[in-house]
Amino acid sequence: MARLPQTDAELTALVRSVSTETFHRPFTHQALYNRRLRTTGGRYRLRDHNIEINPQLLQYYGLPELLGVIKHELCHYHLHLLHGGYQHKDADFKKLLAATGGSRFAPPMPPREDRTVNYLYICPQCQAKYPRQRRIDTRRFVCGRCHHRLELVGLDVKMSQISA
């Protein structure tokens, strides 16, 4: 099995080899890990043509998912540089993605357990929990399940303390 890329240089080398083998075109820019990505597996930056990858993708899902996301971002990259339809909605993009075996969607990223929630609301009727960053007006907003009035039960609560 191939060694997993740990640094930006190793990631760039992996992206270049995938580009050459799968697309038969060179990748001449940089691939970088971006720890600030939270909900996506990666992104292609139009301005500088670099590709950013979420390092959690490799940590939680492994090399096969990483390769799928790399192929997805390389579809954006090559089509943009060739002046083709590089957006998700474009037929060129969908066709190239299917031909190369790239991932259509990135797998869901796990929630951050260390995140602090400023406000925790609970429905006293059905016990549904609503963690929020901002205060909400409990006279106006109600439970989405049973339409009962919400109650504020906690301030500055860790996500790991909130059980489903």
Side-chain angles (χ1 to χ4, degrees):
M1 178 168 174
R3 184 174 179 274
L4 300 176
Q6 300 295 321
T7 65
D8 289 342
E10 291 173 353
L11 180 63
T12 300
L14 176 63
V15 171
R16 287 184 175 154
S17 69
V18 170
S19 180
T20 304
E21 292 169 11
T22 307
F23 295 86
H24 308 293
R25 300 189 63 80
F27 175 73
T28 59
H29 293 85
Q30 297 296 311
L32 311 163
Y33 283 118
N34 184 347
R35 298 190 193 303
R36 292 184 312 271
L37 296 178
R38 294 285 177 219
T39 59
T40 185
R43 73 176 171 190
Y44 166 63
R45 296 190 319 206
L46 293 173
R47 288 183 185 217
D48 60 7
H49 308 295
N50 289 341
I51 291 176
E52 295 179 341
I53 300 293
N54 186 341
Q56 288 183 332
L57 183 74
L58 185 59
Q59 179 183 353
Y60 290 105
Y61 294 103
L63 190 61
E65 262 327 304
L66 175 66
L67 292 174
V69 170
I70 288 172
K71 289 176 184 179
H72 177 103
E73 301 309 328
L74 282 171
C75 288
H76 289 299
Y77 173 82
H78 290 299
L79 287 170
H80 181 244
L81 293 179
L82 294 171
H83 306 289
Y86 61 88
Q87 296 180 349
H88 291 124
K89 65 183 178 181
D90 295 328
D92 291 343
F93 179 80
K94 291 177 182 177
K95 183 178 175 184
L96 184 59
L97 190 65
T100 58
S103 299
R104 180 78 173 110
F105 302 101
M109 293 296 127
R112 289 179 45 206
E113 296 297 327
D114 60 340
R115 191 181 88 192
T116 300
V117 174
N118 295 339
Y119 302 97
L120 177 62
Y121 296 90
I122 293 184
C123 174
Q125 183 74 24
C126 69
Q127 303 301 312
K129 296 178 182 177
Y130 296 92
R132 294 289 179 263
Q133 292 294 321
R134 296 185 180 143
R135 182 181 282 275
I136 62 173
D137 184 359
T138 56
R139 294 171 295 171
R140 184 172 164 212
F141 294 99
V142 296
C143 177
R145 292 182 188 169
C146 67
H147 303 286
H148 201 269
R149 197 165 272 194
L150 299 175
E151 292 180 2
L152 176 63
V153 295
L155 296 173
D156 297 325
V157 180
K158 291 274 187 194
M159 285 296 287
S160 58
Q161 296 171 337
I162 302 171
S163 60

